[in-house]
Amino acid sequence: MILVAGATGRIGGRVVHQLTAGGAAARALTRRPDDARLPGGAAAMLGDLRVAASVGVALEGVDVAYLFPAPGWPLTDLLANARKAGVRRIVLLSSASLPGGPSLIERQHRANEDAVRASGMPWTFVRPTAFMANDLS
């Protein structure tokens, strides 16, 4: 089971669609599960990455957690909960600006990556350069 945070947004929504199209079981973490429009094979779960305790139930039975925290959101408690729940890998959406300079966004993404590294859990950092959807809007 793969937990996808931000599953109703532009990025997380595409991740859920790609996972289910490939036959993977996906759990979509969202603050508004009743409004979630998800493909077959995906289950909506209530949770908010800003409140680590709200994600506990969603982590049960999860092998991989795909996280998309806003830069600056604390991840330490969430990662501890993931470890306790038996999550085997963290996939973190980060930024291609790393390693980079001293900008606020770069420091916040670096803090998120450092928290994941410090968790001791296996990890994968996804560092895209740009999103066409951002350019179009």
Side-chain angles (χ1 to χ4, degrees), residues 38-70:
L38 300 170
M45 295 289 291
L46 176 65
D48 186 335
L49 289 184
R50 294 173 292 183
V51 183
S54 76
V55 183
V57 172
L59 288 167
E60 293 175 8
V62 167
D63 299 307
V64 177
Y66 176 90
L67 305 178
F68 178 37

Side-chain angles (χ1 to χ4, degrees), residues 79-103:
L79 293 166
N81 290 346
R83 177 185 280 285
K84 187 184 296 184
V87 174
R88 295 190 339 237
R89 176 170 292 278
I90 299 294
V91 178
L92 179 74
L93 181 62
S94 188
S95 171
S97 64
L98 296 176
S103 82

